[in-house]
Amino acid sequence: MEANVPDDQQTLWWLKGLGTNVQVLSPCHWKEEILADARSTLSKALALESEEA
């Protein structure tokens, strides 16, 4: 399914809440922010994992 949604912070917040159940195609600044959040989350998880080992 494709949808056109408003380019605002509330919509971005909603999309982030969908996690891996959504693919953001545009705008590019949303894709970049979601990717940065994912990288940060992964980095923190890997750091915790290495501390526990």
Side-chain angles (χ1 to χ4, degrees), residues 16-37:
K16 288 181 178 183
L18 294 173
T20 60
N21 296 312
V22 67
Q23 180 181 11
V24 176
L25 303 176
S26 65
C28 286
H29 62 274
W30 280 7
K31 290 171 55 173
E32 291 166 0
E33 184 170 334
I34 290 168
L35 181 57
D37 287 352

Side-chain angles (χ1 to χ4, degrees), residues 32-48:
E32 291 166 0
E33 184 170 334
I34 290 168
L35 181 57
D37 287 352
R39 286 182 173 147
S40 175
T41 300
L42 180 58
S43 176
K44 290 174 184 176
L46 291 173
L48 285 174

Side-chain angles (χ1 to χ4, degrees), residues 4-18:
N4 292 320
V5 295
D7 183 355
D8 59 26
Q9 285 299 310
Q10 184 175 359
T11 305
L12 179 58
W13 175 82
W14 174 71
L15 288 170
K16 288 181 178 183
L18 294 173

